[in-house]
Amino acid sequence: MARQLTPLGRVLLVLSGLALLGYGLHKYGVLDRVAALVAPDKRAEGTVSRDDFGAPSGSPSAVPAGVTPGSTRPVGGGTRLSRPIRVAIVTWGGYAGGIVANRGFAPNRNSVFGKEFDVEVELLVIDDFEKSRDAFRAGGDKGGVDIMWSTVDAYSLEYGGLARLKPKAFLQYDWSRGGDAIAVDASIKSVADLRGKKLACAEATPSHYFALYALTQGGLTNRDVEWVFTTSAVEAANVFKAGRVDAAVSWSPDVYIAARERQGGHILASTREASNLIADIFVARGDFIEQHPEDLRRFVGGWLKGVELANANPDATAALLAKSFSGIGLEDAKGMLQDVKLPTYAENRAFFDPEGSLANYHTIYKTSQGIWRKIGKVKDVYEPYQTVDTRFMDAAAQWFPKASEPAAAEFQFTAAPRGNAAPILTKTVSIYFPSGSATLDENAKAVLDTQVVDLAATFGSAYLRIAGNTDNVGSPETNQRLSRARAEAVTRFLVSKGFDRNKFEVVGNGPNKPVASNDTDEGRAKNRRTDFEVLPR
Amino acid sequence: MTGVREPVSQRKARSLALAGFLSFLAVWCVLSYGGILPEVILPSPTEVLRAFPALHFEEALVRSAGWSLYRVGMGFLLSAAVAIPLGLLMGTFPKVKHFLAPLVDPLRFLPISALVPLFLVWFGIEEAMKIMLLFVGTFVYLLPLVVEAVENVEDVYLQTAVTLGASRGQLVRHVLVPGSLPAIGEALRVMNGIGWTYVILAEIVNARYGLGHLITVAGKRSHVDQIFAGVLVILFIGVVTDWMIRLANQQLFAWKR
């Protein structure tokens, strides 16, 4: 006797059928495949480790044989501009040189630019990043700008999107020196403590780059922290202030305020120590360079004359900044100037020369591009030489006759004992020495070149404690002596690269500071190491 | 004055809409292919189309759309759940309305972005904070519209009901609520639109997936084609959800027409 199913029964039957079907599809991986097709996940990020920084200094940005970059042609041709050069800037002390040269933002005949260089300049404050890019895309003839600000690390990220404009970097107006910083809570004393912590920063910005640099040099990778990405640096500081993350990378003054306002908050590291990492640069549109090269040459000359004036008269410069930027008082302006270093003409030349400074445009561009590529933010690869045009810098030499004189070292190091100062981070490197010897072979030198020279150059203002360590094989006294001799050898090598001897503190720990057990081969191998401790001044 | 409020047949309405859409496309094509605006400012339709595969396979476009839809949807539901009862109360009892007016009226002028730091403290950095931003963003507009909907129910109905001996509860249940619902349905449709305009702001912090987040990151990389593609997806979802709400309104309040 067949029984009619009730409507409810029918629904239940259909539902259980569907559930079975769904389970089956899931069990045999069909669902996952469908999901991967309909809604694929983001492309997996690669692991960024310390090996991604510090490309060997010999090879950056070599122009391949048979290629003549446009930037080798002499400056000439084109016409003089009949309107002011329009430049996008933000509220930031790094523009002091140009502001002094222009005596404010508005085009001004009665200024260094106008009187000495016969060029008119208009500085436009566009604090919103995307708006400034819109203005650059529009161009100076169409109400936008001819020149925009960038940082080398951000420029390598956005170059692909702007490549059709054939933009070229041509001037470095500042190094961030404290302008970017990492605020951390009380529990974090060094970079290694960030493992497993929540770290906030604005994605795909100089903050992000700084974070990656600090993490990797301190022995972590991008996978060792829990990232909390924000749209802007200000939000990253706010998230930290709200107590929702353990650390945040942001810029001045927000990051310092956030560190102060959160209980136990402090600054772990800033670009005051990582002094040669975030380089602010000007980028001009390709058509502007093509049409008005003489104006650009004069712009470079005038700006760098302004830098000389600004560096010589910090008080007057601060007053002018306070007057020019809206919402910035005199004290703020002084603080803004302390967060930057304005490179001179000679320093600019060294910066854009692939063989110039140890941390230069080419090394930073190449390194940062590699890192963005690894985490899936950059697809097309450009060589640094394609993105830069130094002809204007070279052609401005007539105004800077003293530039060829050797410059004084930027940072003065004293041999004062650093005592027990806590390092911001410790980079541990295994350098191979023959048994019982303190001689560096070519292999060891190559390791130092890639792992340490960049570290020492980037943390330009910081002291570096070089500590040799051994395993427990042999007598402690011999090991102690040997580890010190090896640290000395490393130091001598670094000094030969052009560093001040007083930058380094040499320590021989012998077997006294093991990081692993001396009972196994692997443990002993780990203990035979050199620690590079970055110490703030 | 022909044509003023002249009814248009459904068929004609459709062809007009199609014509409007095609002319928009034509303007886009002329501006981009014609070289009037450079491609770095206005990418061409082909370029925007070409951005989709990368967005789909590398940037999780569908998941992002899903998450944004979820956030806007939750903000929308929450805002309806609070604003409709409160608005009915305020529209029905002017005393309540006057009591709350100094609180509610200025809220409409509130720049929502200023609330972000506060919301980070209150609601954290996960979904609650994003949904609450969207809730507040739509709520402040929805509430006055609900109040107005109740107030616009014609007095004739109320008086008739009173004459027939309706109690206070009956007046609300049988006159004010049904009388204002069609206008409230229309208000909800507007809210859906406003919700989508806030999605970039809502995804300002810790949005692993999200259309707003996707657009922001594309901006940092100067990928204008991807920005436009993201915006197109938002427009598409907006139009579809709008159409769904309109359909629901038509079904529910068929008597109104």
Side-chain angles (χ1 to χ4, degrees):
Chain A
M1 194 169 73
R3 273 174 59 183
Q4 226 20 67
L5 274 171
T6 60
L8 179 70
R10 237 177 277 175
V11 169
L12 280 177
L13 197 68
V14 171
L15 277 182
S16 38
L18 280 177
L20 262 176
L21 183 71
Y23 178 73
L25 289 176
H26 168 71
K27 172 118 201 229
Y28 294 101
V30 180
L31 273 192
D32 291 341
R33 270 195 215 175
V34 171
L37 206 65
V38 176
D41 207 341
K42 289 184 187 184
R43 187 171 49 181
E45 289 187 358
T47 303
V48 178
S49 72
R50 64 188 197 179
D51 296 333
D52 294 304
F53 290 91
S57 49
S59 68
S61 189
V63 181
V67 174
T68 313
S71 57
T72 54
R73 280 180 282 122
V75 179
T79 55
R80 288 301 306 277
L81 196 61
S82 55
R83 56 166 175 83
I85 303 175
R86 294 167 60 89
V87 186
I89 65 171
V90 297
T91 308
W92 173 247
Y95 304 101
I99 296 169
V100 166
N102 206 34
R103 290 174 70 179
F105 294 158
N108 186 354
R109 275 272 138 215
N110 191 25
S111 66
V112 173
F113 274 132
K115 281 201 289 206
E116 293 178 38
F117 290 87
D118 187 32
V119 65
E120 279 194 87
V121 175
E122 181 169 12
L123 302 174
L124 300 122
V125 178
I126 309 177
D127 279 322
D128 183 299
F129 177 85
E130 270 130 64
K131 298 263 181 337
S132 72
R133 270 47 191 165
D134 289 341
F136 186 69
R137 284 190 206 103
D141 289 333
K142 297 211 172 92
V145 297
D146 308 298
I147 296 168
M148 66 169 190
W149 64 271
S150 194
T151 61
V152 179
D153 57 286
Y155 184 50
S156 76
L157 177 68
E158 62 180 333
Y159 191 84
L162 296 169
R164 266 189 294 209
L165 293 169
K166 299 192 173 61
K168 303 281 182 217
F170 65 94
L171 175 81
Q172 183 197 12
Y173 55 86
D174 75 56
W175 281 112
S176 167
R177 293 283 165 87
D180 303 81
I182 308 175
V184 292
D185 76 1
S187 71
I188 297 167
K189 308 283 184 219
S190 83
V191 169
D193 297 336
L194 283 169
R195 185 185 294 277
K197 297 290 171 97
K198 279 189 180 171
L199 171 62
C201 76
E203 190 172 14
T205 62
S207 302
H208 193 179
Y209 186 66
F210 183 26
L212 287 171
Y213 186 77
L215 288 176
T216 55
Q217 301 309 298
L220 305 180
T221 73
N222 58 330
R223 296 182 184 280
D224 291 329
V225 295
E226 195 181 323
W227 294 94
V228 172
F229 287 125
T230 62
T231 301
S232 73
V234 178
E235 296 311 329
N238 281 335
V239 173
F240 180 76
K241 209 163 29 172
R244 298 293 178 174
V245 292
D246 308 297
V249 191
S250 181
W251 60 38
S252 168
D254 307 82
V255 67
Y256 294 101
I257 296 169
R260 204 165 49 228
E261 290 189 356
R262 176 153 165 189
Q263 190 144 24
H266 61 109
I267 296 292
L268 176 65
S270 78
T271 48
R272 211 174 291 288
E273 296 90 37
S275 57
N276 296 39
L277 186 71
I278 311 281
D280 287 312
I281 50 167
F282 274 136
V283 175
R285 285 170 60 100
D287 54 356
F288 183 81
I289 291 176
E290 197 68 30
Q291 290 158 18
H292 311 292
E294 179 58 19
D295 291 271
L296 200 55
R297 188 177 78 98
R298 288 163 186 271
F299 175 81
V300 168
W303 190 285
L304 292 172
K305 270 281 175 264
V307 165
E308 289 178 357
L309 292 171
N311 284 338
N313 312 295
D315 288 343
T317 304
L320 181 61
L321 286 190
K323 206 177 95 187
S324 304
F325 284 113
S326 63
I328 298 293
L330 187 60
E331 286 311 307
D332 299 328
K334 283 182 180 163
M336 282 163 79
L337 280 176
Q338 274 160 15
D339 286 340
V340 295
K341 141 90 186 166
L342 310 176
T344 61
Y345 178 77
E347 286 163 330
N348 253 284
R349 290 287 293 258
F351 177 72
F352 283 106
D353 178 358
E355 308 293 326
S357 341
L358 284 168
N360 63 52
Y361 177 85
H362 303 263
T363 59
I364 300 173
Y365 189 97
K366 208 161 177 149
T367 306
S368 58
Q369 177 175 255
I371 285 168
W372 298 129
R373 197 158 169 246
K374 210 156 197 187
I375 57 175
K377 298 278 182 279
V378 159
K379 252 202 229 162
D380 306 320
V381 172
Y382 295 87
E383 288 299 318
Y385 76 84
Q386 294 175 297
T387 64
V388 71
D389 192 338
T390 53
R391 287 176 298 158
F392 311 99
M393 193 59 68
D394 302 344
Q398 67 175 96
W399 296 303
F400 303 94
K402 285 188 193 159
S404 51
E405 290 173 14
E410 194 195 335
F411 300 107
Q412 299 304 316
F413 294 95
T414 52
R418 300 295 305 159
N420 291 324
I424 299 167
L425 62 86
T426 303
K427 184 169 185 171
T428 299
V429 181
S430 292
I431 302 165
Y432 174 78
F433 289 94
S435 181
S437 153
T439 316
L440 292 168
D441 64 9
E442 289 310 309
N443 227 336
K445 286 179 184 170
V447 170
L448 287 173
D449 248 332
T450 51
Q451 296 286 359
V452 184
V453 171
D454 173 73
L455 178 79
T458 302
F459 283 97
S461 78
Y463 286 86
L464 207 57
R465 183 184 291 145
I466 302 177
N469 298 276
T470 65
D471 57 25
N472 66 347
V473 180
S475 90
E477 292 74 31
T478 317
N479 276 338
Q480 176 109 29
R481 226 174 16 248
L482 188 61
S483 65
R484 192 180 163 89
R486 286 174 172 177
E488 287 283 5
V490 168
T491 305
R492 275 195 301 278
F493 175 77
L494 290 174
V495 170
S496 78
K497 291 281 162 180
F499 294 104
D500 184 338
R501 172 64 184 84
N502 287 336
K503 181 183 174 72
F504 306 108
E505 183 192 350
V506 179
V507 176
N509 287 329
N512 299 333
K513 288 194 175 170
V515 290
S517 160
N518 274 318
D519 297 338
T520 62
D521 276 348
E522 297 92 68
R524 283 192 294 273
K526 274 188 186 163
N527 287 335
R528 293 191 295 269
R529 70 192 195 278
T530 311
D531 288 338
F532 295 87
E533 300 178 4
V534 175
L535 305 164
R537 50 176 50 225
Chain B
M1 290 273 280
T2 53
V4 174
R5 287 203 165 183
E6 181 191 290
V8 179
S9 76
Q10 209 173 22
R11 195 164 163 191
K12 201 166 178 194
R14 275 200 199 130
S15 43
L16 277 172
L18 188 67
F21 177 71
L22 288 179
S23 13
F24 163 78
L25 257 185
V27 171
W28 183 7
C29 289
V30 168
L31 286 178
S32 59
Y33 296 124
I36 296 169
L37 282 174
E39 295 211 321
V40 284
I41 294 177
L42 179 73
S44 65
T46 33
E47 255 188 295
V48 173
L49 279 181
R50 247 187 267 143
F52 276 100
L55 286 179
H56 181 71
F57 291 109
E58 287 165 22
E59 306 290 337
L61 180 64
V62 179
R63 286 175 196 227
S64 297
W67 275 100
S68 292
L69 195 62
Y70 165 75
R71 288 169 192 142
V72 174
M74 291 303 282
F76 175 86
L77 289 179
L78 209 57
S79 149
V82 180
I84 293 177
L86 189 62
L88 282 171
L89 202 65
M90 289 167 72
T92 310
F93 305 107
K95 280 180 190 160
V96 179
K97 181 182 151 189
H98 290 302
F99 177 73
L100 290 175
L103 271 174
V104 170
D105 287 350
L107 276 183
R108 259 181 297 170
F109 304 99
L110 187 78
I112 305 290
S113 54
L115 289 180
V116 172
L118 209 59
F119 275 38
L120 288 173
V121 177
W122 287 344
F123 304 111
I125 51 175
E126 308 299 333
E127 294 309 309
M129 168 254 165
K130 301 173 183 70
I131 291 168
M132 287 310 284
L133 266 180
L134 288 161
F135 160 67
V136 173
T138 48
F139 173 79
V140 295
Y141 291 104
L142 183 56
L143 186 62
L145 288 178
V146 176
V147 175
E148 200 184 302
V150 180
E151 286 173 343
N152 281 353
V153 174
E154 286 181 41
D155 262 346
V156 186
Y157 300 130
L158 271 184
Q159 279 154 14
T160 313
V162 172
T163 319
L164 290 173
S167 68
R168 197 164 76 170
Q170 284 172 324
L171 282 182
V172 174
R173 266 201 315 277
H174 298 301
V175 180
L176 289 180
V177 169
S180 57
L181 275 181
I184 293 176
E186 211 34 43
L188 287 175
R189 201 161 77 81
V190 178
M191 281 323 110
N192 176 45
I194 292 180
W196 280 98
T197 62
Y198 279 123
V199 78
I200 292 188
L201 180 68
E203 292 173 357
I204 196 169
V205 167
N206 202 24
R208 184 160 158 65
Y209 301 101
L211 290 172
H213 170 73
L214 199 126
I215 290 171
T216 314
V217 174
K220 294 248 163 62
R221 304 161 58 212
S222 276
H223 278 277
V224 188
D225 50 343
Q226 295 192 351
I227 297 176
F228 270 74
V231 170
L232 275 190
V233 174
I234 289 186
L235 290 184
F236 176 75
I237 297 177
V239 168
V240 170
T241 47
D242 190 80
W243 172 76
M244 281 162 56
I245 298 173
R246 199 158 50 185
L247 210 69
N249 283 349
Q250 276 171 9
Q251 295 292 317
L252 288 172
F253 315 121
W255 48 268
K256 175 82 179 171
R257 283 184 300 160

